[in-house]
Amino acid sequence: MARAAIQGRLGDRLRWRTAEVEDRRTESGTATTLVLSVPDWPGHLAGQHVDVRLTAEDGYSTQRSYSIASVPDGEHLELTVQRIEDGEVSPYLVDTLLVGGLVEIRGPVGGWFVWQPEQAEPVLLVAGGSGIVPLMSMIRTRSSIGSRVPFRLLYSVRDPADRLYADELRKGSPGLDMTYVYTRVTPDGWPRPAGRVEPDDLARHGWPPDFEPTCYVCGPTGFVEKAAAYLVLLGHSPDRVRTERFG
Amino acid sequence: MPIISPGFHGRRPTDGKKLPPGQYETYDFPVLSTGPTPHVPLETWELAVVAEDGRRHTWDWAALQKLPMETPTVDLHCVTKWSKFDTEWRGVSLDVLLADVETAADFALVHSYGGYTTNLPLEDLLDGKAWIVHDYDGQELAPEHGGPARLLVPHLYLWKSAKWVRAIELRLDDEPGFWESAGYHNYGDPWQEQRYRGD
Ligand SMILES: Cc1cc2nc3c(=O)[nH]c(=O)nc-3n(C[C@H](O)[C@H](O)[C@H](O)COP(=O)(O)OP(=O)(O)OC[C@H]3O[C@@H](n4cnc5c(N)ncnc54)[C@H](O)[C@@H]3O)c2cc1C
């Protein structure tokens, strides 16, 4: 395993900043994108996350991590949050925090689960549910710089209503191949029956191991455990399988 | 001054338990690791302590099992913000493993199967503060949680408790490990909220 790269002005990245919600976009029945404006944002790499801190009136505070969905763009930053029923933080971000509201964030954090434009090898992205968020930043970054590095995306969701960024992904981008795996309900006439990701899906829609792709796997722990193990089983070197577990 | 979030009430831990700043209590056992879970067969498993002069002390699985076992019950604090109270482990105290090692080292660099590394001061491994554990909650430790055996250093953030531990290298100088070189705090005390370098 290579060492993760240090980058950026660390001291500057790690202070808490006040972020203002500039806009909100509904992505699905349970997920919302928050467009944040953060003065002096130091920039980020595709795949990194921020820490969000909420403080109650009596001073109690708690934090969660959220991946950055957007491409580096000055003071603007987008997070996509999936509401977890009974969650402490996500229902507040999805339902209560309105345009003009403030939260504290710091980051960007994480120097390993990132895609950098200098990388020339093919890329396989494997997303489970909201695990698409940091991978979308990679897809968007690739398009925004006109990179021709071949990308493949395998995106597992429960049913069609859960797809995030569906319109944007439908439009696609040259050199990006993508496939959905539906685990509960499929669209009408969908060739693959509903069911969890199997090694065969990764073999069929991923890259052959001898192309030496870098694989990025993100989602809930159970999903990441399985998908990463299948990739190794198919012959991908563990060094080239990077994972981010959302808990 | 922190920003107050109007309408945010939050959820505090129940029955008087104490949480380090910024953490929340969880009842399941989330996983943090950077890649696929390595599967290490017991037949070839080995733990080494390597002193600064290169001298190695090694234990295979059977030798480890013959050492005196302790059953620590500890709270875990992960830098990804969750804390888990009263977790029950079984394993060997580092005091036992390091008892016969001759060293002048002040630091340890811990190596895992799969290539992960993490560093900490040697004294944080001593005096009943750290174990090599192989049972969790009365069961064999599952691979995704670090089985067959992991380091357990509960007074520091959990990334210091290297999963799939393979070797403890004793060093005169402090060499940053995987997350430490990626900008995480060199020491990682949850009560000081030492998440990232500079905290
Ligand atoms: C590096 C990193 C990046 C992340 N990026 C994103 C992101 O881009 N978008 C996003 O929506 N989330 C992301 N998460 C997850 C996020 O940090 C929170 O864990 C999540 O929003 C739940 O927080 P909560 O306070 O609402 O629920 P909690 O109060 O923490 O949990 C309530 C209950 O839900 C369970 N639970 C917690 N998380 C999940 C989950 N992901 N799926 C199902 N059940 C869960 C808990 O075990 C608990 O039982 C990321 C996590 C990490 C570590």
Side-chain angles (χ1 to χ4, degrees):
Chain A
M1 187 192 297
R3 235 199 247 170
I6 314 175
Q7 51 82 47
R9 306 152 295 261
L10 258 172
D12 191 37
R13 273 169 43 198
L14 297 175
R15 84 189 147 80
W16 289 99
R17 295 162 202 273
T18 304
E20 179 175 346
V21 181
E22 267 192 342
D23 197 7
R24 295 166 45 92
R25 279 201 305 272
T26 300
E27 298 286 358
S28 75
T30 54
T32 292
T33 292
L34 300 173
V35 183
L36 302 178
S37 153
V38 192
D40 305 322
W41 179 249
H44 66 270
L45 301 174
Q48 288 187 301
H49 63 271
V50 295
D51 290 350
V52 175
R53 176 162 77 181
L54 296 182
T55 304
E57 274 169 48
D58 66 355
Y60 168 82
S61 83
T62 194
Q63 301 177 22
R64 296 292 187 280
S65 299
Y66 291 96
S67 302
I68 302 171
S70 51
V71 297
D73 173 23
E75 300 192 337
H76 301 280
L77 192 70
E78 297 185 11
L79 310 180
T80 304
V81 182
Q82 177 96 42
R83 186 197 312 115
I84 304 291
E85 292 312 325
D86 307 325
E88 185 177 14
V89 170
S90 61
Y92 183 86
L93 297 178
V94 172
D95 302 325
T96 311
L97 182 66
L98 300 178
V99 171
L102 305 176
V103 286
E104 286 179 290
I105 73 167
R106 69 171 181 170
V109 184
W112 177 246
F113 195 81
V114 294
W115 181 74
Q116 297 189 263
E118 305 85 85
Q119 289 176 233
E121 74 284 1
V123 168
L124 173 63
L125 307 173
V126 184
S130 54
I132 187 69
V133 177
L135 307 182
M136 197 64 196
S137 177
M138 298 180 190
I139 289 170
R140 288 169 166 168
T141 299
R142 175 185 176 279
S143 313
S144 77
I145 59 172
S147 162
R148 298 167 73 167
V149 169
F151 268 39
R152 287 184 175 170
L153 167 65
L154 187 75
Y155 182 10
S156 164
V157 286
R158 263 187 318 196
D159 64 66
D162 287 337
R163 292 176 304 191
L164 303 182
Y165 319 119
D167 291 339
E168 189 176 341
L169 286 171
R170 188 176 310 117
K171 282 187 208 122
S173 164
L176 165 69
D177 297 333
M178 75 156 301
T179 315
Y180 288 102
V181 168
Y182 297 97
T183 60
R184 300 260 178 85
V185 181
T186 67
D188 289 342
W190 191 257
R192 182 193 183 280
R196 294 182 174 205
V197 167
E198 298 287 337
D200 183 53
D201 297 304
L202 290 158
R204 205 181 296 199
H205 301 292
W207 300 103
D210 54 336
F211 285 27
E212 306 201 332
T214 298
C215 308
Y216 297 87
V217 185
C218 186
T221 296
F223 174 85
V224 172
E225 277 299 308
K226 286 231 165 64
Y230 294 158
L231 287 169
V232 173
L233 194 77
L234 291 170
H236 294 274
S237 160
D239 295 347
R240 291 198 311 273
V241 180
R242 303 187 190 192
T243 58
E244 186 98 284
R245 294 162 171 89
F246 277 7
Chain B
M1 266 305 287
I3 301 287
I4 304 295
S5 303
F8 173 68
H9 303 295
R11 205 193 301 121
R12 293 134 181 86
T14 45
D15 50 42
K17 290 169 181 162
K18 216 166 159 284
L19 271 180
Q23 297 289 109
Y24 65 93
E25 182 177 5
T26 184
Y27 298 95
D28 37 63
F29 196 166
V31 173
L32 172 68
S33 34
T34 60
T37 295
H39 291 265
V40 189
L42 292 185
E43 303 79 68
T44 55
W45 183 90
E46 181 184 82
L47 175 69
V49 171
V50 186
E52 68 274 20
D53 58 5
R55 264 193 284 178
R56 294 167 64 86
H57 302 249
T58 61
W59 295 265
D60 63 13
W61 192 255
L64 186 84
Q65 300 301 325
K66 292 202 186 94
L67 298 174
M69 295 292 165
E70 296 183 4
T71 51
T73 297
V74 299
D75 299 340
L76 307 180
H77 307 295
C78 181
V79 72
T80 62
K81 319 295 173 336
W82 56 266
S83 291
K84 189 170 171 61
F85 292 107
D86 301 326
T87 61
E88 295 177 12
W89 301 86
R90 184 175 151 82
V92 180
S93 168
L94 263 289
D95 293 322
V96 172
L97 295 166
L98 294 170
D100 297 329
V101 178
E102 270 179 54
T103 181
D106 286 325
F107 302 98
L109 182 63
V110 183
H111 298 259
S112 296
Y113 291 95
Y116 180 78
T117 55
T118 189
N119 60 306
L120 64 179
L122 182 53
E123 60 173 356
D124 286 83
L125 293 178
L126 297 170
D127 295 330
K129 292 200 286 289
W131 297 266
I132 299 291
V133 290
H134 49 77
D135 274 24
Y136 167 70
D137 207 10
Q139 310 275 332
E140 257 172 40
L141 182 58
E144 68 265 31
H145 292 303
R150 74 180 295 168
L151 181 63
L152 180 67
V153 198
H155 68 286
L156 301 178
Y157 280 125
L158 200 56
W159 90 77
K160 297 285 183 180
S161 294
K163 299 177 186 180
W164 317 298
V165 62
R166 175 172 69 79
I168 298 173
E169 181 191 343
L170 305 178
R171 301 177 59 97
L172 300 173
D173 60 337
D174 192 14
E175 164 85 13
F178 180 81
W179 289 117
E180 294 83 2
S181 8
Y184 282 73
H185 198 276
N186 199 53
Y187 185 61
D189 178 353
W191 298 97
Q192 308 286 327
E193 210 173 359
Q194 293 172 337
R195 298 182 193 276
Y196 310 116
R197 194 177 309 153
D199 277 355

